[in-house]
Amino acid sequence: MTDPATAPALPVADQIAARLTAALAPTRLEVANESAMHHGHLGDDGTGESHFRVTIEAPAFSGVSRVGRQRLVNQALADLLRDRIHALAISARAPGE
């Protein structure tokens, strides 16, 4: 069994996908790492894992405003947004939209 203290950290994109899956049970989820497009820009921390785009469809978004949907995503990723992610573009829809 792998010791969590010495196990390599999952790539940020994988962490994003895991957290959004657990929190929102999406029917569609795409996480794109766009960090290479921002290399050398403000917010580029040199890790290659600072800028992301999320496209998510989830029943949890039904009847929720655009801002409310973004808040749900941000809540699921709060510590990553604080510590690892510089920029996150979000496209959030309910099924059938």
Side-chain angles (χ1 to χ4, degrees), residues 2 7 21 26 29 48 74-75:
T2 304
T21 298
L29 177 61
N74 289 343
Q75 287 171 357

Side-chain angles (χ1 to χ4, degrees), residues 12-13 33-36 39 44-52 84:
V12 174
N33 182 343
E34 298 184 340
S35 302
H39 180 71
D44 173 26
D45 62 4
T47 65
E49 295 188 296
S50 58
H51 293 70
F52 295 88
R84 300 288 313 270

Side-chain angles (χ1 to χ4, degrees), residues 40-64:
H41 296 175
L42 182 64
D44 173 26
D45 62 4
T47 65
E49 295 188 296
S50 58
H51 293 70
F52 295 88
R53 178 173 303 277
V54 169
T55 302
I56 182 170
E57 176 184 277
F61 296 143
S62 294
V64 178

Side-chain angles (χ1 to χ4, degrees), residues 2-89:
T2 304
D3 178 2
T6 59
L10 286 175
V12 174
D14 292 345
Q15 293 180 54
I16 292 169
R19 289 169 189 225
L20 292 177
T21 298
L24 300 170
T27 53
R28 177 175 174 235
L29 177 61
E30 296 175 24
V31 179
N33 182 343
E34 298 184 340
S35 302
M37 297 187 314
H38 302 278
H39 180 71
H41 296 175
L42 182 64
D44 173 26
D45 62 4
T47 65
E49 295 188 296
S50 58
H51 293 70
F52 295 88
R53 178 173 303 277
V54 169
T55 302
I56 182 170
E57 176 184 277
F61 296 143
S62 294
V64 178
S65 71
R66 183 176 150 262
V67 171
R69 294 171 184 192
Q70 291 190 0
R71 285 182 180 146
L72 288 171
V73 170
N74 289 343
Q75 287 171 357
L77 305 176
D79 64 319
L80 289 175
L81 287 165
R82 183 187 66 238
D83 299 334
R84 300 288 313 270
I85 299 170
H86 173 71
L88 179 66

